[in-house]
Amino acid sequence: TFNKQATITVLGASGDLATKKTFPALFGLYAQGHLPEKVRIFGYARTDLTDEAFRERLSSKFELVGPNTKEKAEEFKKLCHYVQGPYDKAEGFAGLNKAIEKVEKEMVASGEVPNRLFYLALPPVVFGSVCGQLKAECYLGDGKGHTRVIIEKPFGRDLETSRELQKQIAPLFTEAEIYRIDHYLGKEMVKNLLIFRFANLPMTSWWSNQYVKTVQITFKEPFGTEGRGGYFDGIGIIRDVMQNHLCQVLSLVAMERPLSFDPEDIRDEKVRVLKAVRPIEHRNVILGQYGPNEEGKPGYLDDASIKSKDSKTPTYAAIALEIRNERWDGVPFILKAGKALNDSKVEIRIQLRPVARGIFHDITPNEVVLRVQPNETIYMKVNTKYPGLSTQTVATDLDFTYHRRFTNLVIPQAYESLILDCLKGDHSNFVRDDELDEAWKIFTPLLEDIDAGKLPVEVYPYGSRGPESVSKFVQKLGYVIPKNE
Ligand code: BG6
């Protein structure tokens, strides 16, 4: 199995994703003793680099904290090799295969079969050709060994292009060999959702339209595109984080109890709830694009990497989704995501219906908030008596903050957790093909209308709370702004 020995090859090894996320995650796993006993790591890319230059380059992004020591970094670097080659020619991949075979000879004991993991940290335009080359030159199947392939979004830009991509890859690798990463599924709080929901009687009993009034899933980033405009323009915030990350969170919040923790049971339920999402109506959408602010922060269109100076690409979106099933009928699921906002935060906020009126005036609706980042916490807003001689009520938080509950805890990085799952062969936190299809089905008609300029895009100042109309929009959908906020 992959526990004992494996080679891990990162394609696109000199790029941003590999340098900032993939290699630091592999290093973290190594330093904590989670990589297979015998492991070698290959970087493959077009850039001409020696092993030495490659090792120096990747270790520049390692964070040396806790078990991630300098000594471990030196050991880890020795396990890394670099192979230079193109993404569309057999020679390059034949060279890669040779390099892998060479180390496998030393690593794999007699009677064992080799294990190969390929991580595509590459733009999707080359996915198809790279998968083809990997299959032709580096694939181990038919009893000769095991191959797993990790791919990462964007999986197309709409339903059609996503299906095309799937069509290219499906004949090459089985669904069991493919791991589609959505790194939000590796985040600690997101992984906690199933436990929190299904292992606690109070949660299981009120998690429905009987008690819940609104659900909001919010993603806020305090910085703009800042040089990444070449990638972002024409893509927009919905494709960048909503169709994937927030939609994954939504499916975990809204799904029914799975039959078991088996990956297929979990993913079956996620697909089922996505199928119940109604088509998005324009009146349930607010779009925004950030403009300059008074402190001199540049607007989206001032970014030198944005080529089209009249671009209407949204950097903010608030969308209310309706889930038409017995549990959620009538409860808006409001997804909100934006760049260049006033805060850095990802959270799930579930507001309950008000208690019967009569004896209380002026009380705050109960809310459960699960903060995904930063500073993971779950808190519940409840009403209590204000201490003293009156019967005045006051909103209080019942609070489970991870760093208070677990001192000295190092919460694993999303990519560490997911790469380890892949080495173990656990698909639970990866996106299945039909799940991807359903997520695209929800957003594609809206994206087509946005691309055709059919929806207005409000300008909001860099560093603000987003488009002004959002606050009214969520209140109209039933959200009551708590008194103490
Ligand atoms: C990526 C998006 O998928 O997720 C980025 O392309 C975004 O635009 C990032 O900044 C957010 O990830 P995280 O883990 O920092 O919340």
Side-chain angles (χ1 to χ4, degrees), residues 64-101:
L64 299 177
V65 287
N68 299 4
T69 59
K70 216 169 156 196
E71 292 70 45
K72 288 280 175 201
E74 289 309 312
E75 280 173 36
F76 176 79
K77 273 159 54 178
K78 293 205 185 96
L79 303 173
C80 297
H81 309 274
Y82 185 74
V83 180
Q84 186 256 333
Y87 294 126
D88 54 353
K89 296 210 175 64
E91 304 93 80
F93 288 83
L96 174 63
N97 187 51
K98 258 208 193 120
I100 297 176
E101 269 177 352

Side-chain angles (χ1 to χ4, degrees), residues 16-30:
D16 223 38
L17 174 67
T19 320
K20 288 196 187 135
K21 300 284 186 192
T22 321
F23 281 105
L26 287 169
F27 167 54
L29 287 174
Y30 173 76

Side-chain angles (χ1 to χ4, degrees), residues 21 153 183-184 187 219 221 223 228 231-232 240-241 244-245 339 346 373:
K21 300 284 186 192
K153 64 138 222 187
H183 78 284
Y184 267 58
K187 293 193 186 259
F219 169 102
E221 267 181 354
F223 44 83
R228 271 179 89 223
Y231 151 76
F232 194 87
D240 189 36
V241 301
N244 36 54
H245 306 329
K339 294 203 173 264
V346 177
Q373 64 192 35

